[in-house]
């Protein structure tokens, strides 16, 4: 599946090492190498962690295709309605290659 229809739209990327990145998809190629603009990494803390969840700004961000596990469009209205500092969840594990 081509990601071309997602260009210039806000996407969420789950990486092979379990990171969650949100940004504007600026470019992609046939190897799924991605360029994101206004990128934010969401760090969701587990319920037992006292530290609040956080969003870390990265700006312009390049992701190699081999590190992309999932790419999807973001519902911006729903996304802005959530207070991400209060969100808790289990850690997403990395991708296992056999």
């Amino acid at each position: 599946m081509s990601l071309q229809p997602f260009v210039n739209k806000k996407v969420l990327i789950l990486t092979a090492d379990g990171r969650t990145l949100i940004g504007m998809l600026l470019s992609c190629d046939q190897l799924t190498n991605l360029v994101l603009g206004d990128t934010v990494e969401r760090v969701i803390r587990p319920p037992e962690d006292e530290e609040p969840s956080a969003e870390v700004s990265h700006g312009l961000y390049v992701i190699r295709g081999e590190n992309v596990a999932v790419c999807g469009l973001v519902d911006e209205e729903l996304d802005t309605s959530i207070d991400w500092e209060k969100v808790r969840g289990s850690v997403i594990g990395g991708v296992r290659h056999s």
Side-chain angles (χ1 to χ4, degrees):
M1 180 183 134
S2 172
L3 294 176
Q4 282 300 317
F6 294 2
V7 171
N8 295 321
K9 294 184 179 162
K10 192 172 185 180
V11 295
L12 182 141
I13 308 296
L14 293 178
T15 63
D17 64 356
R19 288 179 293 143
T20 303
L21 301 163
I22 296 90
M24 187 69 63
L25 181 61
L26 301 177
S27 181
C28 60
D29 65 12
Q30 69 275 12
L31 299 176
T32 318
N33 295 311
L34 307 177
V35 179
L36 301 180
D38 301 321
T39 307
V40 173
E41 180 178 358
R42 289 206 177 120
V43 182
I44 306 300
R45 305 279 183 203
E48 61 276 0
D49 195 337
E50 293 180 17
E51 192 173 343
S53 294
E55 291 188 321
V56 180
S57 179
H58 292 299
L60 188 64
Y61 206 81
V62 176
I63 306 170
R64 288 183 58 157
E66 64 191 33
N67 293 322
V68 176
V70 178
C71 176
L73 288 176
V74 172
D75 180 334
E76 294 191 54
E77 184 178 333
L78 178 61
D79 189 61
T80 56
S81 71
I82 297 171
D83 183 355
W84 289 103
E85 287 188 1
K86 294 181 181 175
V87 172
R88 298 293 183 176
S90 299
V91 175
I92 299 174
V95 174
R96 293 183 191 181
H97 300 283
S98 52

